């Protein structure tokens, strides 16, 4: 898996002797080289319809703006509180757990990376699906963790029997990414129950858009860690807030590792804004409801255009065009300044992942798709 290589060379007009600089590159043999995660494109020009990174099309809760307007910039000279107590306490109150059961990080990516570092120290392979969030194998490579992928069924669901074997840990998203397929809490409990000797991590980045969380199971199983994020349902991708809830023992182990690496990971403004956002239940439910409603409308429109798709329970639709290839549609949409996600990978290369935007954005997408498909 160690395929990436990047060597920074001096500009061509340098006065340094190249034979001296490059005569010995033995240090490269010690470089930890991995194939990095490839994020969705981030176009910066105006007038783009961006439906490729599963961002929320609506602004954060109104209280976030008030925090930003009233914040005393003099506080920026001070370190943030390392335990992020204001945010941890707000999350604990919202989800009905103890503060000692909550871990926060700079986005759920940071939280999961810390969990990999903390819990996946065995020489046994960590298990996750072959079609899933493509950061998992990157973290495994970075931390030198052995892993094994398990094939999804033809309908993109998980076969729980694949996870009832010796392993060094288990992780998968629910709903899955990029498919949007939701697994039942009963199925997840079946896997957790079958693996008392390893930590099971459920990545619930999209759970708020129509799924049942397995958070209640953390009171029953000491080895279950549930990870969520503010990036999707709480419209705060730009502030990078993620959190995990689990047993007090799991969270203590994670904090021990975090405070050994970097105690001050989340800035003061983010802590305050995150606490304000998680407290505003009414606004959260309103915006999530709007996205779910638009998702269901979009499914009907895509079906009319000849697309097939999974029954997504997330804020995106994993759709397959029937009359054109997915890559062709992807490229034609880009020409029209509409961005969706395409992977040129086995099994999923026939699909596009389309983030649910505002009704106006989705109508523009449908108009473009109709034009492309009928060319």
């Amino acid at each position: 898996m160690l395929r990436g290589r990047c060597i920074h060379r001096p500009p061509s007009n340098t006065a340094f002797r190249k034979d001296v600089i490059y005569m010995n590159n033995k240090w490269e043999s010690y470089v930890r080289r991995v194939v990095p995660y490839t994020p969705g494109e981030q176009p910066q020009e105006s007038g783009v319809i961006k439906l490729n990174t599963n961002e929320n099309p609506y602004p954060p809760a109104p209280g976030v703006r008030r925090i930003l307007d009233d914040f005393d910039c003099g506080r920026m000279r001070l370190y943030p509180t390392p335990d992020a107590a204001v945010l941890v306490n707000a999350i604990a109150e919202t989800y009905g757990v103890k503060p000692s059961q909550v871990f926060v990080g700079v986005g759920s990516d940071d939280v999961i990376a810390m969990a990999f570092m903390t819990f996946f120290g065995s020489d046994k392979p960590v298990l996750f699906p072959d079609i899933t969030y493509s950061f998992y194998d990157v973290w495994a490579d970075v931390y030198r963790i052995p892993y094994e992928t398990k094939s999804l069924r033809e309908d993109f669901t998980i076969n729980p029997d694949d996870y009832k074997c010796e392993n060094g840990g288990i992780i998968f998203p629910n709903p899955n990414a990029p498919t949007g397929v939701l697994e039942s809490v009963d199925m997840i409990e079946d896997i957790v129950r079958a693996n008392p000797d390893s930590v099971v991590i459920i990545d619930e980045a999209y759970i708020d858009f129509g799924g049942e969380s397995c958070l209640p199971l953390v009171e029953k199983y000491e080895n279950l860690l549930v990870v969520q994020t503010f990036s999707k349902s709480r419209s705060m991708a730009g502030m990078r807030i993620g959190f995990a809830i689990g047993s007090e023992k799991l969270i203590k182990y994670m904090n021990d590792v975090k405070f050994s690496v970097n105690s001050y990971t989340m800035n003061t403004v983010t802590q305050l804004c995150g606490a304000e956002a998680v407290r505003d239940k009414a606004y959260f439910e309103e915006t999530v409801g709007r996205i779910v409603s638009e998702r269901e409308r979009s499914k009907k429109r895509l079906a009319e255009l000849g697309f097939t798709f999974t029954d997504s329970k997330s804020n995106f639709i994993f759709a397959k065009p029937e009359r054109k290839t997915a890559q062709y549609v992807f490229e034609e949409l880009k020409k029209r300044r509409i961005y969706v996600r395409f992977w040129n990978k086995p099994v999923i290369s026939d699909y596009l992942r389309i983030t649910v935007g505002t009704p106006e954005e989705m109508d523009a997408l449908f108009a473009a798709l109709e034009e492309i498909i009928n060319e």
Side-chain angles (χ1 to χ4, degrees), residues 13 32 36 46 56 100 116 119 122 137 193 263 285 320 345 361:
N13 63 348
R32 178 162 294 187
S46 61
N56 195 312
S100 54
F116 266 63
F119 302 120
S122 167
D137 57 350
R193 188 189 305 113
S263 299
E285 292 178 345
K320 178 181 178 181
K345 293 182 177 181
E361 289 173 328

Side-chain angles (χ1 to χ4, degrees), residues 53-295:
T53 51
N54 298 341
E55 293 151 323
N56 195 312
Y58 303 108
V64 173
R65 166 55 64 187
R66 290 194 295 272
I67 293 291
L68 295 174
D69 288 343
D70 297 340
F71 184 73
D72 176 8
C73 290
R75 295 179 63 181
M76 298 302 289
R77 68 183 180 81
L78 304 173
Y79 282 110
T81 55
D83 60 1
V86 64
L87 177 58
V88 166
N89 290 338
I91 292 171
E93 182 178 357
T94 297
Y95 290 93
V97 296
K98 301 173 185 176
S100 54
Q101 290 181 269
V102 178
F103 177 92
V104 298
V106 185
S108 60
D109 290 341
D110 179 46
V111 174
I112 297 172
M114 197 65 63
F116 266 63
M117 196 187 308
T118 305
F119 302 120
F120 295 162
S122 167
D123 57 0
K124 301 171 186 176
V126 172
L127 308 180
F128 48 84
D130 60 341
I131 300 172
T132 193
Y133 186 31
S134 51
F135 232 139
Y136 297 158
D137 57 350
V138 175
W139 285 317
D141 284 342
V142 167
Y143 298 128
R144 298 298 188 263
I145 297 168
Y147 68 90
E148 181 179 328
T149 60
K150 299 295 184 179
S151 298
L152 297 177
R153 297 178 174 129
E154 287 189 9
D155 62 355
F156 295 120
T157 58
I158 286 173
N159 182 351
D161 292 337
D162 289 340
Y163 297 84
K164 297 176 181 178
C165 58
E166 195 169 19
N167 64 77
I170 294 169
I171 182 169
F172 58 85
N174 192 47
N176 197 7
T179 66
V181 172
L182 179 73
E183 303 287 355
S184 71
V185 173
D186 288 342
M187 189 281 284
I188 292 172
E189 182 171 13
D190 186 30
I191 291 176
V192 177
R193 188 189 305 113
N195 289 278
D197 297 328
S198 58
V199 173
V200 179
I201 302 174
I202 306 301
D203 181 357
E204 291 189 340
Y206 302 99
I207 197 66
D208 294 324
F209 298 103
E212 180 184 357
S213 174
C214 63
L215 273 173
L217 296 180
V218 301
E219 301 300 335
K220 190 174 180 181
Y221 298 97
E222 186 180 58
N223 62 321
L224 173 63
L225 188 74
V226 179
V227 178
Q228 293 191 15
T229 177
F230 282 46
S231 295
K232 316 302 181 186
S233 57
R234 298 190 189 276
S235 308
M236 298 183 74
M239 276 201 154
R240 314 303 301 127
I241 302 174
F243 66 97
I245 293 177
S247 66
E248 292 179 275
K249 183 180 290 186
L250 285 186
I251 300 306
K252 180 185 183 303
Y253 283 137
M254 289 186 71
N255 276 320
D256 287 347
V257 172
K258 172 186 174 181
F259 295 143
S260 298
V261 175
N262 184 354
S263 299
Y264 303 106
T265 55
M266 184 176 289
N267 67 69
T268 300
V269 176
T270 297
Q271 293 181 30
L272 295 171
C273 289
E276 191 65 31
V278 81
R279 293 187 187 110
D280 195 337
K281 182 179 179 182
Y283 183 82
F284 164 75
E285 292 178 345
E286 176 195 344
T287 53
V288 167
R290 292 166 71 181
I291 292 170
V292 170
S293 176
E294 184 58 31
R295 180 190 68 204

